[in-house]
């Protein structure tokens, strides 16, 4: 097996001047950047004091899962001669939290809306989803089930 390394830089931006001296005295904001990439401003989940206008780690995990699925779907569709002209997803991540604040994802449902070229075989297009988990690094790495509920349009 080939080894692959991925890196990112995470930098806390929420020091209001006194660091973590008090629990409510700092912001839960941070920047994320990958080598050669632009910084993405992020925060904690709003239920834990984060900024609701910024992505949080849970959002980013769900988006990464959906993006990996989409990219492999496009690849496998192209290889199968299925022409995709548009793809958008509004994935849903279902999580649970314990009284002590610990939590986890219990399931994700990918809900892509896929536009196929006229004359495309919808059942062949739909069958691709079941093969993606074999390829997608993210889907192969999470410990919760990932389902999909795709809809298709022509034109």
């Amino acid at each position: 097996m080939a080894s692959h390394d991925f890196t990112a830089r995470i930098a806390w931006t929420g020091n209001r001047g006194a660091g973590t001296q008090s629990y409510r005295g700092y912001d839960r904001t941070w920047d994320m950047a990958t080598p050669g990439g632009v910084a993405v401003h992020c925060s904690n989940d709003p239920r834990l004091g984060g900024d609701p206008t910024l992505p949080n780690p849970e959002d980013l995990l769900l988006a990464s899962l959906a993006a990996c699925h989409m990219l492999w779907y496009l690849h496998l569709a192209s290889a199968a001669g299925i022409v995709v002209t548009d793809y958008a997803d509004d994935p849903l991540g279902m999580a649970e939290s314990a009284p002590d604040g610990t939590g986890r994802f219990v399931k994700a449902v990918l809900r892509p809306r896929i536009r196929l070229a006229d004359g495309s075989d919808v059942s062949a297009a739909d069958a691709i989803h079941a093969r993606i988990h074999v390829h997608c690094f993210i889907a192969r790495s999470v410990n919760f089930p990932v389902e999909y509920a795709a809809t298709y349009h022509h034109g």
Side-chain angles (χ1 to χ4, degrees):
M1 303 236 355
S3 176
H4 306 281
D5 294 332
F6 297 91
T7 63
R9 183 165 198 281
I10 304 299
W12 175 47
T13 60
N15 186 348
R16 295 183 199 155
T20 60
Q21 186 174 358
S22 73
Y23 182 74
R24 300 209 185 286
Y26 62 94
D27 292 330
R28 276 68 175 170
T29 55
W30 47 282
D31 286 348
M32 172 194 66
T34 56
V38 298
V40 176
H41 306 296
C42 301
S43 187
N44 199 12
D45 184 303
R47 288 171 288 218
L48 301 172
D51 182 338
T53 67
L54 299 175
N56 60 57
E58 294 79 9
D59 295 334
L60 295 170
L61 174 63
L62 187 60
S64 295
L65 182 63
C68 187
H69 187 92
M70 176 191 69
L71 293 167
W72 275 106
Y73 184 87
L74 296 172
H75 172 84
L76 295 171
S78 177
I82 297 169
V83 178
V84 175
T85 60
D86 192 43
Y87 186 112
D89 195 350
D90 294 302
L92 174 64
M94 295 169 221
E96 63 184 12
S97 296
D100 67 358
T102 60
R104 66 185 184 117
F105 276 98
V106 294
K107 178 166 87 170
V109 180
L110 306 180
R111 303 179 296 183
R113 293 172 313 285
I114 301 167
R115 186 167 303 281
L116 303 171
D118 286 336
S120 296
D121 181 345
V122 173
S123 45
D126 194 55
I128 293 170
H129 294 286
R131 299 192 334 254
I132 292 173
H133 73 280
V134 172
H135 303 284
C136 172
F137 277 33
I138 309 298
R140 290 174 52 89
S141 300
V142 298
N143 68 350
F144 52 86
V146 178
E147 300 173 3
Y148 69 92
T151 57
Y152 301 91
H153 306 279
H154 284 97

